[in-house]
Amino acid sequence: MRRRRFLALGSGLAASTLLAGCTGDTSTDATATTPAGTTSTKPEGVYVQSFEERMAMQGTTTVGDYTVALMFTVPHTFWTLTNTERSKTAKTSENAIHLMAVVWDDETGTVLPDAGVSVELERAEFLAQEVMYPMLSQPMGFHYGGNFGLAGDGTYTANVSIGGITARTTGAFDGRFESAETAEMTVEFTEETRARVGSTPIEQAGEPGALAPRTTSYLKSIASAPEDLPGTVRGTAAIDDAYLVVTGLASAERVGRPEDAYLAVSARTRYNSYELSGMALDATLERDGETVYEGALARTLSPDLGYHYGAAVPSVEAGSELTLSVRTPPQVARHEGYETAFLDTASVTLAL
């Protein structure tokens, strides 16, 4: 573990220049389906991926508490994470598509991570069943995805299963997203849909930065700007291109502790401010040389704070020191451009 000390960082750090130009999810450009490449340059942290892609939307449906969008593009190489161990999943000649799903709450427009999504593709004698990895992509943000082989052209029945949210829920989300649901959808793999997808190279590949979020019909997991968070924002720290925005609320009533304050940390990516889920984050809060809180921050989903890490604490006051320690990096798979970022198990101390 590495330990570093910082003063609180201004919110302007997250407003670095982005590269625009990703096409939307309804492109009909007649371009041959080309597997997405990878850059040979692998700088540390977030870097511009080597390609931009086009996707073929397959539809949107609502089942129970969940709204699901399904789409596909060309097969990708991606990297999964187990604790701190990163593993490469290379695309192969057997892969026909990279299938993706985004799940959100239609009432609040909140994208739902930690939902345990899997998919079953079926057509005639063909059946493929796979867990869809929680993933981060520069144009898409958080989604569930994986590479799939298919049995040629045709219409496939896609049963998208959602296991339910594992994060703690508060406020209007309390008691929701607990049930398992299955959305029946279709995947059209035809000459027409294949003409919509493909990838083209990016000249700035390998440079620090990221492709901008694409304009889409589905929602993206973009964290609220610091000034839009509830409570009093006390500062922002950075660990390995993960930006940690700290806010304090006067009451922890949302977790059944109205006599205490609530400490919340909104973790997001550099550049696009996509929410970072699946992290194990610890906090030590000190005031006047005494420790007033030491322990884990729970993964939590709230309508006003979005996906965050939080705990009830005696108070969150100016003049205190807060040390945040990443015990486990975000347990999400990464598309190219993110695979060398958000891996550090360091600590950072802020003066609140």
Side-chain angles (χ1 to χ4, degrees), residues 3 18 37 64 66 75 80 83 102 105 114 122 131 185 220 310 334 336 352:
R3 180 181 176 88
L18 307 181
Y66 314 104
T80 60
N83 296 322
V102 179
D105 170 51
D114 296 349
E122 185 176 9
V131 171
M185 307 176 75
K220 284 178 284 298
R334 295 100 188 280
E336 184 189 317
L352 302 186

Side-chain angles (χ1 to χ4, degrees), residues 4 163 226 271:
R4 294 173 282 180
Y271 304 115

